[in-house]
Amino acid sequence: MTRLTRSLFVAGGFLSLLLTALPALAIDHDNIDAGRPLRFDDAESIAFRERAVEFGLAAYSPFRRGGIGVGFAAEYLYGFKVNSYYSVDFDPSVGARSGSGDKRFDAGNIGLGLFHNFNRETLTRPAFSARVDAYLPTGRGSRGTQFRLRGIMSRTFNQYSRFHINVDANVQTSARDGERSFLPTVTLGFTRPLGYPTYFNRTGLAEVGVRASQETGRGAIFYGGVGVRQQVTVRSVLDLGMQSDFAATNSGAARDNVRLIVGYSTQF
Amino acid sequence: MNNQRTRLIRRGVFTALTLSQILLSASAFAQGAMPGMTMPITPATKAAASKQDTGMAGMKRDSAAPRIRSLKERIDPATLPLLPSDLPKWMDGRGNYEVFYKRGAYNFGIYRIPTLAYDFNATGVGHSMAYEDIVRGNTTDLETATFDRINRVLLSPPKLAPTEKSIAPTFARRFGLLEQVFDWTHTLHFQTIDVLANPDMTNAQKDAEIERLYRNYRTSVPFAITPLPMNMGYLYNQPYSKRMRDNYPKVNGLFWGYHWLQTAVYDMLYGKTHAEQVKAYEQLGKRYHEVELYKTDRPFMPMNAETSPRFAKRFPELANIFDNLHMLHDMANDILVSPDLSDKQKDEQVKAAIWMVMDAAHKNERPGDFSTGETTLHDHRFMDGMPGMGIMPGGTKELMYMPEADMGWMSMEQCHHCSMPLPEEAMTWHMSTSTSQGVTMQARCALCVRDYTLETPGSAILQIPTENPERSVVLITDEKGEYWTRPENEKNIVFIEAEASHAGCSEWSQAFSSRAAFDAWVASNPDYKGAKPYSLKEWWAKQGKKPDTYYKPKGPVENPYASEANRKPGPATGDDNSVPAGGNK
């Protein structure tokens, strides 16, 4: 058994254990958090005093590198005050990854986040939120702290459809030579309940976005994705998604051909 | 000796009370007024009352009720309630203000009775679909397309609770505060039901947890609904009131059907084992789907104390909160379907309606507060014997008119079979109930509840206390009078029925959890030495005499709803109002 297969096996087993060991604990299918399964957030916070954990498993094939990489993600969220929550997350990975020839296990960076919603959406005013994350250099070869400031706007249109604009400013405090220290990203997300007026527990998602390549001089990367969030118990949601960095202004930019994501979120 | 003396005194008091109430009713009826009833409103008394009323500064009141609230009759804007100028800031808050429910192992216990949980899920969808269509101006289709769409969901309810604001996004965006008030109070609804459905907690533990849920409800958000008994006659007599009832009877009937289920469920669960709860919901759910959802001839929404008097007596604050919540639904419905109100007026009136039932609008007021002599927003009188029930339209402090099952005028502090006073305060649990024909009647003794049930057509759910507060006898009866009960009841339960005057029926007709408990009681009550112990089967086969103490209460008028055409000849769409069981399908 190769190391990669073993790692996959372990990660899959861990996820299965979580899925079965945790009693039905969710977050609504229509409350969108980044990574579950796409990159964007909606502007709604979790509830005051709510606790949630979100897990994800992703398999990806980096562009022009060959092989498959696997990433695991876990995030804990707590609504510490009305309309606000903090989060702690980590995302270990193993196998092929874009931007690096290293296939060894990487514990990943630990992220600390703070989210605040400024207002609920009304007929005339979108919902606005902001989120700040700090990623500590705990991963293999990481150095310096990375910060991300994200502005979020969610707006309903056409009765049930919603779009979500996420604008990110990523700042790397100790960028290596050849790496950018500032990476802007813009994502346009779209959500719509699926199955109305017969089914009420499923939301479809899609996104398109553009981000600056991590390497200087490699231009911008365009990405997109589709996904679905399905309420599976009264307190848990299963999500599935597929993403692709489908184009880049520079063909040498490090990116993923395709990413397949499965995730599970619970509240308790 | 002491026991005997107490019994004699109690009997004397009961008899005196009964006689005095008979005389009181008769004399009041002769005068056309009951003690405590609303005085006839004249312009002078109305003006005086307006001056005396201290809350809701600036709010105008309208006590005159037209017969039918037609949508063609324009509302005089001058009669609309005005918003107080000093509303707290949170009434205009911009945030979501979502608070997580209180944690507990009992949460989602309703899913232990899956059909009940699914039906509750469907009520959420039903509310949301109607609100979304109303807010989007699709009222012309409300009685047809919207009704049919909702009805499909009610017939095939979702297995998981939907997010209401995702079904009604326009409503939630326009009336964010109202949506949050509904949501927070629905959470209280669900959690109390979860507790009652939990088979691992004792009745005492359930009571204690429900008290904690109530405290959590009131202290966690600023927009809690008041636990005070509200004057329903006042709230349902605003200039826009009854427009939903009179113009959209089918969808209004659905709303009142949901509210019937949401109130009837409490006594259905209270003090019962899991097996009894499941069996009871088979019957109650059938009634809900076949009758209650499609009633279009109710003059008024179902009240918690009508459907769950046991729960309403034990938790009057909660019963009041749920009734006030349901009244807020009705007020919002009436406002939103009013075509003559502008969007701005609707926004203001919804906000005014929310404020009327907010805890914060009734600070330092107490149950029983009532000073003006007229129905007002701050009239917190409650039905005698039922602190979990505000004064009903046309009712008095002593009597309410119950159109369901043609009950007519009723006293909530008397046995509905023998007219004797029901147990009070600490002994409230020692009351029998029979749920049939969509209402739950209170009875003083085992004989009363049995005979009442057998005299009433249809199926029923009986709950009879034993000497052990944790153990009731529950019988689920069918149309033929056959009953289902837990198998051990046939073996263990023993009844005494030494029939005499009903002045003492709570003694001579009782249930005991075992023969030993029966013997112990007889030993301490020598008057009953030699009384025959009846098995459940033997007792059920008996029939008592007509109670010597019974009298039919008479209200100030024959029927306070008589002048209201609650069954309108045709809704806005021109359809016939009557809806077959199962809806239009």
PDB file of all heavy atoms in Angstrom, chain B residues 58-72:
ATOM      1  N   GLY B  58     -50.591  56.979  22.475  1.00  0.00           N
ATOM      2  CA  GLY B  58     -50.922  57.436  21.131  1.00  0.00           C
ATOM      3  C   GLY B  58     -51.679  56.441  20.296  1.00  0.00           C
ATOM      4  O   GLY B  58     -52.117  56.756  19.206  1.00  0.00           O
ATOM      5  N   MET B  59     -51.823  55.211  20.773  1.00  0.00           N
ATOM      6  CA  MET B  59     -52.526  54.227  19.945  1.00  0.00           C
ATOM      7  C   MET B  59     -54.023  54.444  20.023  1.00  0.00           C
ATOM      8  O   MET B  59     -54.588  54.548  21.100  1.00  0.00           O
ATOM      9  CB  MET B  59     -52.200  52.818  20.410  1.00  0.00           C
ATOM     10  CG  MET B  59     -50.954  52.292  19.769  1.00  0.00           C
ATOM     11  SD  MET B  59     -51.011  50.531  19.711  1.00  0.00           S
ATOM     12  CE  MET B  59     -49.750  50.183  18.517  1.00  0.00           C
ATOM     13  N   LYS B  60     -54.650  54.448  18.871  1.00  0.00           N
ATOM     14  CA  LYS B  60     -56.095  54.626  18.853  1.00  0.00           C
ATOM     15  C   LYS B  60     -56.767  53.270  18.906  1.00  0.00           C
ATOM     16  O   LYS B  60     -56.204  52.274  18.496  1.00  0.00           O
ATOM     17  CB  LYS B  60     -56.497  55.370  17.586  1.00  0.00           C
ATOM     18  CG  LYS B  60     -55.946  56.782  17.542  1.00  0.00           C
ATOM     19  CD  LYS B  60     -56.332  57.430  16.254  1.00  0.00           C
ATOM     20  CE  LYS B  60     -55.737  58.830  16.182  1.00  0.00           C
ATOM     21  NZ  LYS B  60     -56.044  59.469  14.919  1.00  0.00           N
ATOM     22  N   ARG B  61     -57.981  53.260  19.379  1.00  0.00           N
ATOM     23  CA  ARG B  61     -58.690  51.997  19.478  1.00  0.00           C
ATOM     24  C   ARG B  61     -60.036  52.076  18.789  1.00  0.00           C
ATOM     25  O   ARG B  61     -60.664  53.119  18.739  1.00  0.00           O
ATOM     26  CB  ARG B  61     -58.892  51.633  20.949  1.00  0.00           C
ATOM     27  CG  ARG B  61     -57.600  51.260  21.575  1.00  0.00           C
ATOM     28  CD  ARG B  61     -57.713  51.233  23.069  1.00  0.00           C
ATOM     29  NE  ARG B  61     -56.367  51.257  23.590  1.00  0.00           N
ATOM     30  CZ  ARG B  61     -55.696  52.379  23.769  1.00  0.00           C
ATOM     31  NH1 ARG B  61     -56.259  53.530  23.546  1.00  0.00           N
ATOM     32  NH2 ARG B  61     -54.460  52.341  24.213  1.00  0.00           N
ATOM     33  N   ASP B  62     -60.438  50.967  18.294  1.00  0.00           N
ATOM     34  CA  ASP B  62     -61.739  50.904  17.634  1.00  0.00           C
ATOM     35  C   ASP B  62     -62.467  49.698  18.179  1.00  0.00           C
ATOM     36  O   ASP B  62     -61.988  48.583  18.046  1.00  0.00           O
ATOM     37  CB  ASP B  62     -61.518  50.760  16.118  1.00  0.00           C
ATOM     38  CG  ASP B  62     -62.809  50.460  15.396  1.00  0.00           C
ATOM     39  OD1 ASP B  62     -63.863  50.822  15.940  1.00  0.00           O
ATOM     40  OD2 ASP B  62     -62.745  49.872  14.313  1.00  0.00           O
ATOM     41  N   SER B  63     -63.564  49.923  18.829  1.00  0.00           N
ATOM     42  CA  SER B  63     -64.270  48.803  19.442  1.00  0.00           C
ATOM     43  C   SER B  63     -65.468  48.357  18.629  1.00  0.00           C
ATOM     44  O   SER B  63     -66.118  47.389  18.953  1.00  0.00           O
ATOM     45  CB  SER B  63     -64.727  49.171  20.846  1.00  0.00           C
ATOM     46  OG  SER B  63     -63.590  49.399  21.623  1.00  0.00           O
ATOM     47  N   ALA B  64     -65.814  49.093  17.567  1.00  0.00           N
ATOM     48  CA  ALA B  64     -66.989  48.719  16.797  1.00  0.00           C
ATOM     49  C   ALA B  64     -66.604  47.696  15.746  1.00  0.00           C
ATOM     50  O   ALA B  64     -65.669  47.888  14.991  1.00  0.00           O
ATOM     51  CB  ALA B  64     -67.570  49.952  16.131  1.00  0.00           C
ATOM     52  N   ALA B  65     -67.300  46.573  15.719  1.00  0.00           N
ATOM     53  CA  ALA B  65     -66.959  45.523  14.770  1.00  0.00           C
ATOM     54  C   ALA B  65     -68.022  45.409  13.698  1.00  0.00           C
ATOM     55  O   ALA B  65     -69.179  45.159  13.999  1.00  0.00           O
ATOM     56  CB  ALA B  65     -66.837  44.195  15.499  1.00  0.00           C
ATOM     57  N   PRO B  66     -67.678  45.617  12.446  1.00  0.00           N
ATOM     58  CA  PRO B  66     -68.663  45.379  11.389  1.00  0.00           C
ATOM     59  C   PRO B  66     -68.943  43.890  11.282  1.00  0.00           C
ATOM     60  O   PRO B  66     -68.145  43.073  11.723  1.00  0.00           O
ATOM     61  CB  PRO B  66     -67.975  45.908  10.134  1.00  0.00           C
ATOM     62  CG  PRO B  66     -66.527  45.886  10.433  1.00  0.00           C
ATOM     63  CD  PRO B  66     -66.393  46.033  11.921  1.00  0.00           C
ATOM     64  N   ARG B  67     -70.033  43.538  10.647  1.00  0.00           N
ATOM     65  CA  ARG B  67     -70.421  42.131  10.571  1.00  0.00           C
ATOM     66  C   ARG B  67     -69.435  41.334   9.725  1.00  0.00           C
ATOM     67  O   ARG B  67     -68.952  40.315  10.122  1.00  0.00           O
ATOM     68  CB  ARG B  67     -71.834  41.999  10.021  1.00  0.00           C
ATOM     69  CG  ARG B  67     -72.889  42.503  10.999  1.00  0.00           C
ATOM     70  CD  ARG B  67     -74.280  42.236  10.469  1.00  0.00           C
ATOM     71  NE  ARG B  67     -74.550  40.813  10.454  1.00  0.00           N
ATOM     72  CZ  ARG B  67     -75.217  40.200   9.492  1.00  0.00           C
ATOM     73  NH1 ARG B  67     -75.648  40.880   8.480  1.00  0.00           N
ATOM     74  NH2 ARG B  67     -75.440  38.911   9.565  1.00  0.00           N
ATOM     75  N   ILE B  68     -69.174  41.834   8.533  1.00  0.00           N
ATOM     76  CA  ILE B  68     -68.216  41.153   7.672  1.00  0.00           C
ATOM     77  C   ILE B  68     -67.140  42.157   7.316  1.00  0.00           C
ATOM     78  O   ILE B  68     -67.443  43.280   6.942  1.00  0.00           O
ATOM     79  CB  ILE B  68     -68.871  40.663   6.365  1.00  0.00           C
ATOM     80  CG1 ILE B  68     -70.025  39.735   6.688  1.00  0.00           C
ATOM     81  CG2 ILE B  68     -67.856  39.963   5.470  1.00  0.00           C
ATOM     82  CD1 ILE B  68     -70.834  39.361   5.472  1.00  0.00           C
ATOM     83  N   ARG B  69     -65.910  41.708   7.434  1.00  0.00           N
ATOM     84  CA  ARG B  69     -64.835  42.629   7.089  1.00  0.00           C
ATOM     85  C   ARG B  69     -64.538  42.469   5.600  1.00  0.00           C
ATOM     86  O   ARG B  69     -63.607  41.762   5.205  1.00  0.00           O
ATOM     87  CB  ARG B  69     -63.605  42.349   7.940  1.00  0.00           C
ATOM     88  CG  ARG B  69     -63.817  42.568   9.428  1.00  0.00           C
ATOM     89  CD  ARG B  69     -64.119  44.041   9.721  1.00  0.00           C
ATOM     90  NE  ARG B  69     -64.421  44.212  11.144  1.00  0.00           N
ATOM     91  CZ  ARG B  69     -63.582  44.772  12.011  1.00  0.00           C
ATOM     92  NH1 ARG B  69     -62.413  45.187  11.634  1.00  0.00           N
ATOM     93  NH2 ARG B  69     -63.937  44.908  13.273  1.00  0.00           N
ATOM     94  N   SER B  70     -65.360  43.111   4.797  1.00  0.00           N
ATOM     95  CA  SER B  70     -65.191  42.999   3.356  1.00  0.00           C
ATOM     96  C   SER B  70     -63.968  43.779   2.917  1.00  0.00           C
ATOM     97  O   SER B  70     -63.637  44.823   3.471  1.00  0.00           O
ATOM     98  CB  SER B  70     -66.434  43.547   2.651  1.00  0.00           C
ATOM     99  OG  SER B  70     -66.148  43.755   1.296  1.00  0.00           O
ATOM    100  N   LEU B  71     -63.338  43.282   1.884  1.00  0.00           N
ATOM    101  CA  LEU B  71     -62.172  43.984   1.356  1.00  0.00           C
ATOM    102  C   LEU B  71     -62.591  45.226   0.574  1.00  0.00           C
ATOM    103  O   LEU B  71     -61.771  46.074   0.261  1.00  0.00           O
ATOM    104  CB  LEU B  71     -61.367  43.053   0.451  1.00  0.00           C
ATOM    105  CG  LEU B  71     -60.759  41.831   1.150  1.00  0.00           C
ATOM    106  CD1 LEU B  71     -60.022  40.963   0.146  1.00  0.00           C
ATOM    107  CD2 LEU B  71     -59.823  42.251   2.266  1.00  0.00           C
ATOM    108  N   LYS B  72     -63.887  45.298   0.270  1.00  0.00           N
ATOM    109  CA  LYS B  72     -64.352  46.469  -0.484  1.00  0.00           C
ATOM    110  C   LYS B  72     -64.589  47.670   0.421  1.00  0.00           C
ATOM    111  O   LYS B  72     -64.612  48.802  -0.026  1.00  0.00           O
ATOM    112  CB  LYS B  72     -65.645  46.111  -1.239  1.00  0.00           C
ATOM    113  CG  LYS B  72     -65.362  45.193  -2.423  1.00  0.00           C
ATOM    114  CD  LYS B  72     -66.637  44.764  -3.105  1.00  0.00           C
ATOM    115  CE  LYS B  72     -66.321  43.718  -4.170  1.00  0.00           C
ATOM    116  NZ  LYS B  72     -67.461  42.918  -4.529  1.00  0.00           N
TER     117      LYS B  72
END
